[in-house]
Amino acid sequence: MTMTKHDEARTIEEALDRIRRDQPSLKPIADAFQVLLVSRAVLKAGMPDCQGRQLPSPDAKKLSEGVPVLTGDELAGLMDPWGERAASTIAPLARAFPGLEAEIRRLKESLDKGESDLGHCMRALMKDDDAELGPMASRLVVPLPVLRFLLGQILKPFVEKKTQPLHAAVRRLPWHRGYCPVCGAFPEITYLQGEGGQRWLRCSLCGHEWQFNRMLCPRCETQGQKKNLIYVEGRRDEFAELCASCGRYIVGLDLREHIGESITAASAIGLVHLDIMAQERGYSPVASCAWNMVESSHGGPEGKKLERQ
Ligand SMILES: [Zn+2]
Ligand SMILES: [Zn+2]
């Protein structure tokens, strides 16, 4: 199903309105992320669709071996050069993370002046190449994890939009892994839907959704005897799944009784209280995302990487 510009932005606004109404304590985080998620939806809607030749075709054999369609270099290549569109990803970040305003300003100035090359940064980010990013972080006086986080946030809408043509094609091929078959990133949320409660995962980078074995941990793919679920009483359809084998958790929604409801980019924002509960128990998220990397306030990320398999 293809969404139009206003569809996605409106769906996100409605999801955040519901969160504010049902869970008033999450209002500050819903407000902060509204700016980021809605502006991202609008930006994506204004981007041209990716031309087929810019993307490799899904290869059934590689997928059967657990190799995602796109390499890190190919993902980095989906980023536009620094220009109006790329720059427009930055202002909403400063509004969503006021604690990082100075760092965001220094990064923007450096890109504006051409002192840093965005394409180069993205390739280093996707390769996890700290030898490349480290000196840049020092020059900008931005902690390395913060620089990685900001670059990941700038890249995300481009990857979400430009991998779209791959999503349906990839879904037709078998894939049994806990990371994304399109981009290799780990999932941000899991949900149960349909008859028998099929389990789905939603990618933290490109937004692709794929079916996954209900018993396995998406991070370490261990069978779930060591899996614990935590809930808040009275909200049993929302949970966090903790894996004692790898010490990771993922938040989730049970949509089996919510016919017609679907997952959006805002869904995980309504589960931040479960992130806090899981992290208080010493667990780390399966995927580092903007909302689960923040400390209790919007201070900023703490030493996390944008992780790909
Ligand atoms: Zn993905
Ligand atoms: Zn695990």
Side-chain angles (χ1 to χ4, degrees):
M1 185 174 59
T2 314
M3 281 193 156
T4 65
K5 161 182 178 174
H6 300 296
D7 282 344
E8 195 188 1
R10 195 173 53 228
T11 308
I12 287 169
E13 282 169 349
E14 285 168 1
L16 292 169
D17 281 344
R18 238 186 345 263
I19 291 167
R20 280 186 282 255
R21 189 189 62 219
D22 295 349
Q23 299 172 87
S25 62
L26 295 181
K27 182 180 181 301
I29 193 156
D31 291 348
F33 277 93
Q34 175 143 355
V35 177
L36 186 62
L37 297 179
V38 169
S39 62
R40 191 176 278 168
V42 170
L43 173 71
K44 279 161 59 187
M47 279 182 210
D49 286 325
C50 199
Q51 301 302 312
R53 63 188 159 74
Q54 284 179 262
L55 296 168
S57 303
D59 178 332
K61 182 166 179 296
K62 275 194 181 166
L63 285 168
S64 73
E65 290 163 356
V67 181
V69 178
L70 298 173
T71 63
D73 259 356
E74 285 163 340
L75 287 162
L78 299 176
M79 180 77 222
D80 281 1
W82 183 245
E84 203 180 314
R85 198 150 54 207
S88 68
T89 58
I90 287 215
L93 276 172
R95 288 172 65 194
F97 303 100
L100 296 178
E101 207 184 330
E103 286 84 352
I104 291 168
R105 185 170 29 81
R106 289 199 289 276
L107 173 61
K108 182 174 184 305
E109 280 169 6
S110 169
L111 291 163
D112 279 341
K113 288 183 197 153
E115 292 166 358
S116 306
D117 176 75
L118 193 61
H120 188 76
C121 294
M122 290 306 172
R123 283 191 295 281
L125 176 76
M126 297 317 292
K127 271 193 279 188
D128 249 345
D129 190 345
D130 290 351
E132 287 277 338
L133 289 178
M136 181 184 173
S138 310
R139 186 162 46 78
L140 294 175
V141 203
V142 174
L144 184 55
V146 173
L147 179 62
R148 279 202 219 98
F149 167 74
L150 294 176
L151 292 173
Q153 293 299 308
I154 293 170
L155 177 65
K156 188 167 166 50
F158 295 89
V159 172
E160 281 183 12
K161 172 77 178 202
K162 295 184 179 182
T163 58
Q164 275 299 325
L166 285 174
H167 292 201
V170 169
R171 211 169 281 128
R172 285 192 287 272
L173 297 166
W175 180 258
H176 308 289
R177 311 306 297 263
Y179 51 88
C180 175
V182 174
C183 75
F186 284 104
E188 65 186 18
I189 190 169
T190 182
Y191 63 96
L192 303 175
Q193 197 169 48
E195 241 172 87
Q198 291 170 344
R199 188 218 195 154
W200 292 79
L201 302 173
R202 178 187 161 93
C203 176
S204 59
L205 178 58
C206 76
H208 180 69
E209 294 175 18
W210 72 101
Q211 235 180 300
F212 187 62
N213 186 317
R214 226 174 127 170
M215 298 307 292
L216 302 184
C217 163
R219 181 73 194 210
C220 68
E221 298 176 355
T222 301
Q223 192 79 249
Q225 286 93 345
K226 291 188 173 173
K227 201 164 81 173
N228 273 314
L229 292 186
I230 53 174
Y231 305 90
V232 171
E233 227 21 82
R235 303 189 69 87
R236 302 279 290 188
D237 294 342
E238 303 169 350
F239 56 89
E241 220 180 86
L242 316 181
C243 173
S245 297
C246 65
R248 302 282 181 155
Y249 74 91
I250 186 163
V251 292
L253 284 173
D254 186 344
L255 297 179
R256 284 175 294 179
E257 313 244 305
H258 302 256
I259 311 295
E261 244 182 71
S262 54
I263 291 289
T264 72
S267 298
I269 306 297
L271 305 177
V272 165
H273 54 294
L274 291 163
D275 282 290
I276 294 167
M277 286 164 66
Q279 290 182 21
E280 279 172 358
R281 286 165 170 75
Y283 287 81
S284 310
V286 162
S288 303
C289 304
W291 50 88
N292 65 30
M293 290 168 75
V294 290
E295 300 258 40
S296 47
S297 65
H298 305 301
E302 287 294 317
K304 306 277 174 58
K305 288 189 172 190
L306 184 137
E307 289 155 312
R308 293 182 78 237
Q309 176 59 27

